């Protein structure tokens, strides 16, 4: 089902599937007319650094299943972009030059984070190489054809192109029957026929590593790191308050993870009130716990800080009743929990465990688990399963009972 949907989507995006050899791509313009056609084979040989400081060389072919997203056609310039695998792309641009057209640059982008092609690569980065192919002076309204191999070398990448058939600036929605052949295909002087023309074009620039773009509008935040906060009033006393949690704070539209690394903690442990203050570079969090009768709860939360955009905020709620558990035990909730603290501020907690009163030997006492955790969800399932089993037994017993009576009557 998913595969089918992906196929349909791919087709809708203008992907070409190839029946014979080579990678075939049809690019259409905004009026859905064919404007760029390519059928070619490319082998890549890439050397890269591995985690154990070695250099490895990997070889792979341009696969037959590719997408052409990002390709575009214009009257005087066009771009063929072939995307494949885990974030790799091979693109070539074409420009019109009088009655001819030509290619200027091949850009090959390869994602070193793809462990299939680049096992044990030392980085995740996407590398780009730019080379200049020998595809010039192709007559307008003709296909460029080159069956011979062309090896194009750059610093750490060799690209071998062969069986290339490309037409840019296609008119009338159909590829031309007229061919412009590459020099290597044209038999000129009687050279030994076995020597493949491997014209080596000079790379126009050296390989440059580009860092993956970080300008995506809302990158999903990773799960925040769990902070482990142990508070003791002075160095000679024992730990009296413990709180472990990963925290995400959302103020208006801005979300940020609280970084426990490098925080300083302070607080107080009283008979009826305990307080924990955690200060990081960007935020100050004040948790006030109270206990009346036999239970404790988080009563107040004061979060002041600055969003990554530089907006400062200070949001306080002194009328909370969260994380309730018996005094002498701890409150625990491993699942992500979301709380609206004020109209502007919500917090998400991860791997939460707190004990603001009665800590003994610096460890948590038995935990009261929040209802969202697995164990409590399991109970209704177990009960339901048991009930279903019981019903089944009753039905079977009934059927057997009926059978026996029936048989009994027959023997009479
Ligand atoms: C291209 O690569 C494939 C597999 O890696 C290999 O079998 C083939 O001989 C290569 N072709 C050329 C022309 O290098
Ligand atoms: C590219 O080809 C040259 C010449 O054959 C060779 O010396 C070099 O090692 C090759 N580079 C890669 C990455 O395969
Ligand atoms: C890898 O190279 C770096 C510096 O080039 C060096 O500090 C490190 O010790 C090397 N590691 C190994 C495993 O050789
Ligand atoms: C690869 O990227 C992931 C997430 O972007 C990161 O956690 C990991 O450390 C990176 N690995 C290397 C080797 O850079
Ligand atoms: C091929 O080129 C010739 C001469 O340039 C032209 O007369 C002919 O119409 C072209 N054929 C096609 C199918 O474009
Ligand atoms: C890349 O080439 C430019 C000029 O061609 C040169 O100035 C630069 O140092 C080169 N960079 C590397 C990393 O080789
Ligand atoms: C901690 O104990 C040491 C020795 O027992 C003492 O010198 C020091 O003043 C005490 N510190 C505090 C804050 O009570
Ligand atoms: C914590 O921060 C220090 C310096 O600010 C850094 O050296 C260290 O790697 C960080 N640790 C973690 C787990 O992020
Ligand atoms: C704590 O609460 C109890 C009863 O609620 C009260 O008697 C006691 O005085 C309170 N202690 C403090 C330090 O406020
Ligand atoms: C909240 O914390 C900030 C900074 O720690 C402080 O200035 C402010 O007075 C606190 N608000 C309340 C109501 O405690
Ligand atoms: C505190 O919350 C309780 C119930 O959640 C509500 O009845 C009470 O009015 C609130 N008090 C304030 C000062 O907001």
């Amino acid at each position: 089902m998913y595969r089918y949907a992906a196929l349909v989507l791919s087709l809708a995006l203008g992907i070409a599937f190839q029946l014979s050899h080579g990678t075939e791509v049809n690019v259409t313009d905004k009026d859905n007319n064919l404007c760029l056609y390519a059928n070619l084979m490319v082998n890549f040989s890439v050397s890269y650094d591995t985690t154990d400081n070695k250099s490895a060389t990997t070889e792979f072919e341009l696969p037959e299943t590719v997408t052409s997203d990002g390709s575009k056609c214009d009257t005087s310039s066009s771009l063929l972009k072939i995307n494949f695998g885990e974030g790799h792309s091979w693109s070539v641009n074409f420009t019109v030059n009088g009655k001819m057209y030509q290619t200027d640059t091949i850009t090959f982008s390869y994602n070193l984070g793809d462990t299939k092609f680049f096992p044990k690569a030392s980085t995740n980065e996407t590398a780009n190489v730019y080379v200049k192919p020998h595809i010039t002076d192709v007559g307008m309204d003709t296909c460029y054809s080159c069956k011979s191999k062309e090896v194009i070398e750059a610093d750490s990448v060799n690209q071998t192109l062969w069986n290339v058939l490309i037409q840019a600036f296609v008119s009338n929605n159909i590829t031309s029957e007229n061919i412009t052949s590459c020099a290597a295909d044209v038999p000129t002087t009687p050279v030994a026929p076995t020597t493949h023309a491997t014209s080596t074009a000079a790379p126009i620039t050296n390989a440059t590593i580009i860092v993956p773009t970080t300008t995506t509008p809302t990158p999903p935040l990773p799960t925040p790191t769990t902070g482990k906060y142990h508070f003791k009033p002075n160095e000679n006393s024992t730990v009296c308050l413990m709180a472990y949690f990963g925290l995400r704070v959302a103020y208006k539209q801005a979300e940020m993870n609280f970084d426990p690394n490098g925080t300083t903690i302070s607080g107080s442990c009283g008979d009826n009130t305990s307080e924990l203050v955690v200060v990081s570079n960007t935020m100050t969090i004040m948790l006030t716990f109270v206990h009346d009768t036999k239970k404790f709860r988080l009563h107040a939360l004061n979060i002041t800080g600055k969003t990554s955009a530089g907006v400062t905020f200070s949001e306080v709620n002194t009328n909370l009743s969260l994380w309730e558990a018996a005094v002498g035990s701890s409150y625990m909730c491993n699942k992500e929990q979301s709380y609206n603290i004020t109209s502007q501020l919500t917090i998400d907690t991860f791997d939460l465990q707190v004990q603001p009163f009665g800590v003994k030997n610096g460890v948590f006492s038995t935990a009261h688990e929040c209802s969202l955790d697995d164990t409590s969800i399991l109970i209704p399932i177990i009960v339901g399963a048991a009930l279903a089993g019981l019903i089944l037994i009753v039905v079977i017993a009934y059927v057997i009972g009926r059978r026996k009576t029936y048989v009994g009557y027959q023997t009479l």
Side-chain angles (χ1 to χ4, degrees):
M1 188 59 203
Y2 173 76
R3 271 166 171 259
Y4 179 69
L7 183 77
V8 169
L9 187 70
S10 308
L11 285 169
L13 292 171
I15 289 150
F17 290 95
Q18 178 52 7
L19 302 170
S20 65
H21 289 302
T23 304
E24 190 178 44
V25 179
N26 292 296
V27 180
T28 54
D29 62 15
K30 57 185 186 305
D31 302 317
N32 214 26
N33 289 323
L34 181 69
C35 61
L36 211 167
Y37 171 84
N39 189 338
L40 77 171
M41 297 176 98
V42 185
N43 271 13
F44 300 96
S45 171
V46 181
S47 70
Y48 64 100
D49 293 335
T50 59
T51 44
D52 46 14
N53 275 4
K54 292 209 180 80
S55 174
T57 301
T58 183
E59 285 184 7
F60 51 92
E61 296 170 82
L62 183 67
E64 286 182 13
T65 306
V66 299
T67 75
S68 59
D69 302 349
S71 301
K72 54 175 185 280
C73 295
D74 224 324
T75 46
S76 60
S77 70
S78 287
L79 177 72
L80 170 67
K81 185 158 184 277
I82 299 178
N83 313 288
F84 62 99
E86 301 251 303
H88 315 292
S89 70
W90 188 87
S91 27
V92 51
N93 65 354
F94 300 87
T95 49
V96 174
N97 183 4
K99 288 195 154 64
M100 308 284 186
Y101 66 92
Q102 66 192 41
T103 60
D104 296 317
T105 310
I106 290 178
T107 305
F108 173 46
S109 290
Y110 52 103
N111 168 20
L112 289 161
D114 178 358
T115 50
K116 191 170 145 247
F117 284 168
F118 306 103
K120 296 210 275 177
S122 61
T123 77
N124 271 348
E125 287 162 330
T126 298
N128 280 3
V129 297
Y130 307 95
V131 294
K132 198 163 170 56
H134 278 173
I135 304 178
T136 52
D137 296 332
V138 185
M140 286 302 278
D141 271 322
T142 69
C143 278
Y144 170 79
S145 169
C146 198
K147 294 191 165 55
S148 308
K149 282 197 223 168
E150 182 184 13
V151 180
I152 309 175
E153 287 179 26
D155 283 357
S156 50
V157 178
N158 287 354
Q159 304 178 43
T160 307
L161 279 65
W162 77 105
N163 284 350
V164 176
L165 187 66
I166 292 180
Q167 186 181 359
F169 311 107
V170 175
S171 57
N172 303 324
N173 208 8
I174 189 163
T175 53
S176 174
E177 281 163 18
N178 284 355
I179 299 282
T180 300
S181 290
C182 63
D185 278 2
V186 180
T188 45
T189 45
V191 195
T194 45
T195 48
H196 276 293
T198 53
S199 57
T200 303
I204 55 162
T205 61
N206 42 20
T208 44
I209 302 283
I210 52 152
V211 205
T213 48
T214 49
T215 49
T216 33
T218 48
L221 286 176
T223 305
T225 317
T226 305
K228 298 188 171 178
Y229 312 106
H230 295 229
F231 172 70
K232 48 184 175 181
N234 65 59
E235 40 184 297
N236 290 345
S237 56
T238 57
V239 172
C240 64
L241 186 158
M242 289 171 66
Y244 291 7
F245 52 82
L247 183 69
R248 180 175 300 155
V249 176
Y251 175 70
K252 292 184 176 170
Q253 303 304 321
E255 277 200 327
M256 58 227 115
N257 282 344
F258 185 74
D259 184 4
N261 191 13
T263 50
T264 57
I265 67 170
S266 56
S268 63
C269 289
D271 286 337
N272 300 340
T273 305
S274 282
E275 197 169 63
L276 174 70
V277 182
V278 189
V279 181
S280 80
N281 284 340
T282 54
M283 263 185 263
T284 299
I285 298 163
M286 196 184 291
L287 301 130
T288 309
F289 298 90
V290 296
H291 91 69
D292 28 52
T293 64
K294 295 261 178 283
K295 286 195 162 179
F296 70 80
R297 60 199 160 88
L298 178 70
H299 181 58
L301 184 64
N302 177 355
I303 301 185
T304 60
K306 205 190 252 186
T307 66
S308 45
V311 179
T312 56
F313 59 89
S314 181
E315 296 288 316
V316 187
N317 186 334
T318 55
N319 194 26
L320 298 168
S321 289
L322 303 175
W323 310 346
E324 236 175 43
V327 173
S329 69
S330 63
Y331 177 87
M332 180 164 135
C333 203
N334 288 323
K335 282 260 169 71
E336 177 178 355
Q337 295 258 65
S338 215
Y339 305 100
N340 293 329
I341 303 303
T342 66
S343 57
Q344 311 279 27
L345 186 125
T346 55
I347 61 165
D348 287 1
T349 60
F350 301 78
D351 295 326
L352 173 75
Q353 189 165 13
V354 292
Q355 186 168 353
F357 299 100
V359 175
K360 292 200 178 67
N361 307 319
V363 294
F364 285 113
S365 309
T366 45
H368 171 90
E369 291 195 38
C370 64
S371 53
L372 284 181
D373 274 357
D374 284 342
T375 43
S376 19
I377 281 169
L378 269 180
I379 291 164
I381 295 170
I382 292 166
V383 169
L387 216 61
L390 204 67
I391 291 168
L392 198 69
I393 290 166
V394 169
V395 168
I396 290 168
Y398 174 75
V399 168
I400 291 171
R402 285 271 301 211
R403 258 237 193 115
K404 279 222 172 112
T405 0
Y406 184 65
V407 169
Y409 277 127
Q410 263 205 336
T411 49
L412 269 175

